[in-house]
Amino acid sequence: MAASTRSMPLRTILLILLLIILLPALLYSVYELTTLSTNEELVGDIYRRQLDVALFSLNQYSWDVASGWASSLTLVLRENGSKEQILNAARRTRVLQGIVLADTGLRSIQWMPVRVGRADGQLRSGLLENREKIARLPMLRRVDDYRKLESILLPDSTILLVFATGDDSRPHALVGMLLGDSSFVHEILEPRIREAAGTDFVLAVTRTGATAPLFVAGTWGGEEIRQQKQLWLFPDLSLGIRLAGQSLDEVVRSRFRRNLLLILLVDLVLVAAALFVYRAFRRESELTRMKSDFVATVSHELRTPLSLIRMYAETLEMGRLKDPGKQKEYLATIVRETERLSHLINNILNFARIDAGRKVYHFGQVQVNEVVTSVVGTYEAHLREQGFQPVVELRTELSPIHADAEAVKEGIVNLLDNAVKYSGERKYLRIATGSEGGRVFVDVEDHGVGIAPHHREKIFEMFYRVSEGDVHSTKGSGLGLALVRHIMDAHHGTVTVTSTPRTGSTFRLSFPLPGNA
Ligand code: ADP
């Protein structure tokens, strides 16, 4: 009953401990998981920013180059240069495929191919379809003095870059520069893209709808491009970016996996620590319980013989008891109870001494048979009175041991006392000595209640008493066997038990011989 009400709070304590430890770890794990998405966003941001920087520089550069061409063409046109001079200016660019001249109203459109001839049909329709955008160019030039380059994507993927010269009244008020965007990328932009990519990034120029890029700066393994944006002058082309080698999010992911593993490891250690604390706590509370049980049993143990002694002594004192037989019986009870009391008090005192480290042993050469004979001699009458016919089997020619005879006696007395206490109806007691494997032993055997396997180790602990069956009603302090073990430890010996429940037990004190210690 007491055990069950006690184990509940213990379990609660374990639960709280685990919660205190696991909850923060769990929260941290969840936090790490959520930061993964934040990290992904961060990674996206880094790509976007880097891409913006690269894109801005490339766009600016493209614009500068095209603008330079526009300036030199404007110059030639202003000076009323011949068609050949205009084409020469275009040839110098290595990229321009031809020049288109037109008036502001797009009524006359003149096509001047640089290298190969091509039909001007697509150019015309391209210009006319973008009439509104183009119409703004002379105005921008006039009002804001801004030479805007309008790019018109033609069906064969060539680009017509149109600008206003500022001479609105002339037939070449508008100039179109025809070029292939891929040759612009290869001839003009390539070194710039490489520079922008550096060693950390891969930059790829891709045509809309195409899977393979037009140009790649860096090592391209067919990986996914993380961010992509259009180039200003070339609406059909876009610039994409990713990290060279392992991508940033891969780095983040592997870091996350490593962190999670670490957390798991830390959690495991913490749980192990919690279990350890819990076990220590349980042990401690068990000890406290056993101590309080001890106090209760010892008080009871002291009170019962005392009240018996007092009762019998008072009866005798009053002289009411005339029957000498009865008188003797009363006196015998008084003596027996006094012996029990002194045995108990002896045990407690000895134990207190051992516990405080104040127990002093007086070692010397000891003949085990002599000690056994002496103990049996002292207690035989008492044993017979209890209904036992002790069987004593002493092995002759035993080597002497190095021991404290009084302490050994005390050990044996405790074993005898237990054999008597836990024997029930079958009153059998055998005390034997012998030697085995360089050791000398004393066996105390009974045919009593026996000890269940799960108690066999614990009965040697302080205050431990078997709390089941008939045994719990037997008086005791739980100190006897702990004392025996202490004594045996001091002798570098052992106390062991072989026992079968309801059949009996044999306790063995085993001493090393001086040469084998
Ligand atoms: P106590 O006898 O005062 O309870 P001990 O330390 O001597 O304390 O013994 C511890 C427990 O071991 C006893 O409570 C009892 O349950 C068990 N025990 C000891 N000796 C025997 C025995 N000979 N037979 C059965 N049980 C025993």
Side-chain angles (χ1 to χ4, degrees):
M1 192 62 181
S4 72
T5 47
R6 241 179 273 268
S7 62
M8 254 313 275
L10 264 180
R11 231 171 280 150
T12 321
I13 287 164
L14 178 67
L15 216 81
I16 291 169
L17 260 175
L18 285 180
L19 271 182
I20 289 172
I21 289 161
L22 284 184
L23 215 66
L26 213 77
L27 284 177
Y28 184 65
S29 310
V30 171
Y31 165 76
E32 270 290 311
L33 272 170
T34 50
T35 49
L36 184 65
S37 63
T38 325
N39 281 338
E40 296 239 317
E41 271 171 39
L42 262 168
V43 169
D45 260 6
I46 290 169
Y47 281 131
R48 210 169 302 129
R49 237 173 289 142
Q50 197 65 24
L51 181 64
D52 281 346
V53 170
L55 206 65
F56 183 80
S57 110
L58 288 175
N59 279 332
Q60 195 62 47
Y61 183 67
S62 310
W63 197 88
D64 284 348
V65 171
S67 204
W69 298 339
S71 299
S72 35
L73 283 171
T74 309
L75 215 68
V76 178
L77 288 168
R78 285 244 170 95
E79 288 165 1
N80 288 320
S82 66
K83 182 179 173 185
E84 205 43 42
Q85 279 171 318
I86 296 170
L87 284 176
N88 272 343
R91 267 187 205 110
R92 276 200 291 277
T93 65
R94 300 204 316 274
V95 171
L96 291 186
Q97 296 175 4
I99 302 293
V100 181
L101 299 179
D103 62 322
T104 48
L106 297 177
R107 280 179 296 274
S108 89
I109 297 172
Q110 189 190 356
W111 165 232
M112 294 188 285
V114 171
R115 292 180 188 90
V116 281
R118 69 172 277 171
D120 59 355
Q122 277 188 3
L123 296 168
R124 273 175 200 285
S125 49
L127 283 170
L128 293 170
E129 273 163 25
N130 292 279
R131 181 190 287 275
E132 275 172 34
K133 277 196 228 161
I134 291 168
R136 279 209 311 270
L137 296 174
M139 197 172 69
L140 284 169
R141 182 78 210 233
R142 220 182 311 119
V143 180
D144 297 339
D145 196 22
Y146 166 54
R147 186 173 55 215
K148 183 177 161 62
L149 290 164
E150 191 66 67
S151 62
I152 296 167
L153 179 66
L154 299 180
D156 63 351
S157 290
T158 46
I159 304 283
L160 192 61
L161 293 178
V162 184
F163 64 92
T165 56
D167 298 327
D168 292 352
S169 54
R170 305 181 62 170
H172 54 258
L174 292 168
V175 178
M177 303 184 284
L178 188 76
L179 54 99
D181 51 12
S182 101
S183 58
F184 188 89
V185 169
H186 289 296
E187 297 282 332
I188 316 285
L189 287 185
E190 232 186 78
R192 288 291 166 140
I193 300 176
R194 281 190 207 286
E195 196 182 308
T199 49
D200 294 338
F201 292 95
V202 175
L203 283 178
V205 181
T206 318
R207 186 177 302 287
T208 312
T211 42
L214 202 66
F215 169 72
V216 179
T219 330
W220 168 262
E223 302 94 342
E224 189 192 352
I225 281 292
R226 304 298 303 180
Q227 294 274 338
Q228 194 142 307
K229 272 188 185 172
Q230 266 187 358
L231 285 160
W232 292 344
L233 289 184
F234 310 105
D236 205 23
L237 299 184
S238 54
L239 186 71
I241 192 165
R242 60 162 280 132
L243 204 69
Q246 201 185 24
S247 80
L248 243 177
D249 40 356
E250 278 157 11
V251 172
V252 167
R253 263 171 211 283
S254 76
R255 204 204 67 190
F256 169 72
R257 268 197 296 272
R258 207 174 47 234
N259 279 3
L260 213 64
L261 209 81
L262 265 172
I263 292 169
L264 229 78
L265 222 81
V266 170
D267 283 2
L268 269 177
V269 171
L270 288 177
V271 167
L275 284 177
F276 179 77
V277 169
Y278 168 71
R279 281 188 57 158
F281 191 82
R282 202 178 59 176
R283 241 207 169 103
E284 203 51 44
S285 76
E286 195 129 289
L287 201 67
T288 315
R289 181 179 64 80
M290 289 197 292
K291 271 186 181 164
S292 71
D293 284 1
F294 165 76
V295 171
T297 39
V298 165
S299 334
H300 176 78
E301 286 273 279
L302 291 174
R303 210 178 305 125
T304 323
L306 268 179
S307 46
L308 262 179
I309 292 166
R310 188 176 169 174
M311 196 176 79
Y312 286 158
E314 273 174 4
T315 315
L316 288 172
E317 190 192 27
M318 282 187 276
R320 283 210 208 116
L321 211 63
K322 303 293 175 214
D323 181 0
K326 272 270 179 238
Q327 281 180 4
K328 210 171 167 227
E329 191 188 311
Y330 274 29
L331 282 171
T333 309
I334 291 171
V335 170
R336 198 181 60 233
E337 291 301 316
T338 320
E339 268 169 9
R340 231 170 58 139
L341 261 182
S342 60
H343 174 65
L344 177 67
I345 289 167
N346 240 355
N347 263 0
I348 295 171
L349 289 180
N350 262 328
F351 202 84
R353 233 172 273 146
I354 288 174
D355 214 30
R358 280 190 285 108
K359 169 86 184 172
V360 184
Y361 290 96
H362 303 283
F363 285 92
Q365 280 222 338
V366 171
Q367 289 290 347
V368 171
N369 283 347
E370 281 175 18
V371 177
V372 172
T373 312
S374 151
V375 173
V376 173
T378 313
Y379 285 90
E380 190 155 15
H382 172 70
L383 291 170
R384 285 185 191 282
E385 199 181 306
Q386 301 281 324
F388 288 86
Q389 310 288 327
V391 180
V392 183
E393 292 170 7
L394 304 179
R395 164 91 179 269
T396 47
E397 289 161 22
L398 274 183
S399 308
I401 57 167
H402 185 64
D404 178 334
E406 277 313 305
V408 178
K409 249 185 220 172
E410 214 170 284
I412 298 172
V413 168
N414 268 297
L415 294 185
L416 289 181
D417 189 48
N418 279 348
V420 171
K421 274 199 291 186
Y422 303 110
S423 268
E425 292 307 306
R426 278 164 304 166
K427 299 191 185 294
Y428 173 85
L429 184 62
R430 179 177 150 271
I431 307 149
T433 59
S435 69
E436 194 181 65
R439 299 173 80 88
V440 169
F441 63 81
V442 181
D443 278 354
V444 176
E445 184 186 346
D446 64 57
H447 289 175
V449 294
I451 304 154
H454 59 281
H455 290 304
R456 268 176 222 159
E457 259 311 300
K458 293 188 168 172
I459 53 172
F460 297 101
E461 288 173 13
M462 270 194 273
F463 311 127
Y464 191 87
R465 305 199 69 225
V466 176
S467 55
E468 54 202 38
D470 304 334
V471 188
H472 74 278
S473 55
T474 312
K475 293 159 190 166
S477 58
L479 284 182
L481 289 179
L483 199 69
V484 173
R485 191 160 70 173
H486 269 293
I487 293 170
M488 292 316 287
D489 283 349
H491 284 80
H492 304 292
T494 54
V495 50
T496 50
V497 61
T498 46
S499 180
T500 312
R502 288 182 301 280
T503 304
S505 321
T506 304
F507 283 82
R508 171 170 288 191
L509 305 181
S510 170
F511 299 90
L513 284 173
N516 301 322

